[in-house]
Amino acid sequence: MFDRRLKILLLLSILFTLLPYPLILSIDLKTHDLTGLSLMKHQGKGTPPVPLIRGWNDGVNPVFNNQVIHLDASPSYDEDGSIVRYTWCIGDEILHGKEVDYRISAEVDSLELDKLPILCFSLLVEDDSGNTAMRVLLLRILPNMLYLSRDGLTPKPERGRMELVMPLTGCRTLTYRFDTPLKLPCCKVDLHIKKRGILRHGLREVSLYAILENGGKILVTKGRVPILGDSIDLSGRIGRDIVVSGFEIRFTGLPLSRIDILTDQSYIGFS
């Protein structure tokens, strides 16, 4: 059902280029329903302006929740005049200006692709002759934090503990796979593991790998475990347009050494 609604939205945005007036569209964050469709008259003489948004693709762009995004309409132009007004329509909100910042704030309860919220931005530009034109930007909202649990990564923390015992090989792996692969934007990745006790108890090193759609793995970050402290903090980066099927956390240390992880305070964060 969601795919059909998204196709309708994309079709409407394409039809805009064939009409003498712009369309303003919005999507409800929770239900993904089309919530608004209004028409604005094309007035004035001459050719309409061309609205462009710097740095975003024409398809559905992935972004992380609770981050500030920058919207820049500077590339927009008018062939026979100048643009005098820039208006951004985001759901029920209206912002004015060539460049605006907007904080993404949505309720993300799932990692399933068809359940992730879609946010629609409409850029409306008007030239000095009264002509108007519009461009639609679609964003898929991804959770900015994934908490560790026994059953998998989850957008919401689950209170509990995981006790890991190093095998005789001295290496223990936690593998988390998504039901459907997710395309991630370029981002910083933080691994935070909260553990019981301040001693490392034979634990030596922790590594975080991203599992790719083709089954390969790339190292995101790794580091040594401090001798003292009740947490492990590592940071790395993921490049643009990487499709990830999951993550893998590797622990190395002395055979039979232990780590007791507090799951509601341990997570992979994105920013």
Side-chain angles (χ1 to χ4, degrees):
M1 178 65 72
F2 168 66
D3 289 338
R4 183 175 65 84
R5 290 169 179 162
L6 183 56
K7 290 178 181 178
I8 292 174
L9 175 63
L10 293 174
L11 178 60
L12 288 173
S13 63
I14 293 173
L15 287 176
F16 160 75
T17 61
L18 305 177
L19 298 175
Y21 38 72
L23 304 176
I24 296 179
L25 307 171
S26 62
I27 296 180
D28 183 83
L29 287 175
K30 295 182 180 179
T31 65
H32 307 102
D33 288 328
L34 295 177
T35 58
L37 173 59
S38 61
L39 305 180
M40 298 186 66
K41 292 183 178 179
H42 176 97
Q43 299 176 341
K45 299 180 180 180
T47 59
V50 178
L52 297 172
I53 305 174
R54 189 190 305 277
W56 299 95
N57 298 324
D58 289 335
V60 182
N61 296 263
V63 297
F64 292 108
N65 198 23
N66 294 321
Q67 77 171 74
V68 176
I69 63 171
H70 184 65
L71 301 172
D72 182 5
S74 297
S76 304
Y77 63 92
D78 185 42
E79 293 182 347
D80 58 355
S82 60
I83 298 176
V84 297
R85 185 174 291 107
Y86 299 82
T87 304
W88 302 86
C89 301
I90 310 164
D92 296 331
E93 298 183 60
I94 296 179
L95 303 176
H96 299 280
K98 184 184 297 184
E99 298 184 42
V100 299
D101 291 326
Y102 184 82
R103 175 172 288 279
I104 302 295
S105 180
E107 185 174 342
V108 185
D109 297 326
S110 174
L111 281 174
E112 296 182 31
L113 189 64
D114 61 350
K115 293 183 179 180
L116 293 173
I118 296 287
L119 187 60
C120 178
F121 292 74
S122 300
L123 168 63
L124 181 68
V125 296
E126 180 181 350
D127 66 14
D128 51 359
S129 298
N131 298 310
T132 57
M134 188 204 70
R135 191 175 190 88
V136 171
L137 171 65
L138 297 176
L139 303 181
R140 175 176 283 116
I141 314 303
L142 306 176
N144 63 312
M145 297 180 71
L146 296 176
Y147 291 88
L148 275 59
S149 74
R150 292 186 178 277
D151 300 326
L153 297 174
T154 172
K156 291 189 174 182
E158 297 179 358
R159 190 174 182 84
R161 293 164 48 190
M162 283 193 301
E163 184 182 57
L164 302 182
V165 179
M166 295 297 111
L168 295 179
T169 59
C171 181
R172 181 69 183 271
T173 300
L174 293 177
T175 301
Y176 298 101
R177 293 187 179 274
F178 304 145
D179 292 335
T180 55
L182 296 177
K183 182 179 179 181
L184 303 183
C186 179
C187 62
K188 178 187 176 187
V189 182
D190 296 310
L191 175 63
H192 176 79
I193 297 177
K194 184 76 170 181
K195 61 186 183 69
R196 294 188 64 190
I198 62 172
L199 298 177
R200 67 181 182 184
H201 297 297
L203 192 65
R204 294 288 184 262
E205 188 177 78
V206 177
S207 305
L208 175 66
Y209 291 83
I211 304 174
L212 304 181
E213 188 177 21
N214 60 8
K217 299 174 185 178
I218 58 172
L219 176 65
V220 178
T221 182
K222 72 175 180 179
R224 296 190 64 82
V225 178
I227 297 176
L228 297 177
D230 61 356
S231 64
I232 303 170
D233 291 283
L234 302 174
S235 295
R237 294 197 67 83
I238 286 182
R240 180 178 292 274
D241 296 336
I242 289 183
V243 179
V244 174
S245 296
F247 287 93
E248 180 179 285
I249 305 174
R250 296 181 189 175
F251 301 87
T252 58
L254 298 177
L256 303 182
S257 58
R258 298 170 181 268
I259 178 174
D260 198 1
I261 299 174
L262 304 179
T263 56
D264 60 328
Q265 301 177 56
S266 301
Y267 58 83
I268 302 173
F270 307 91
S271 60

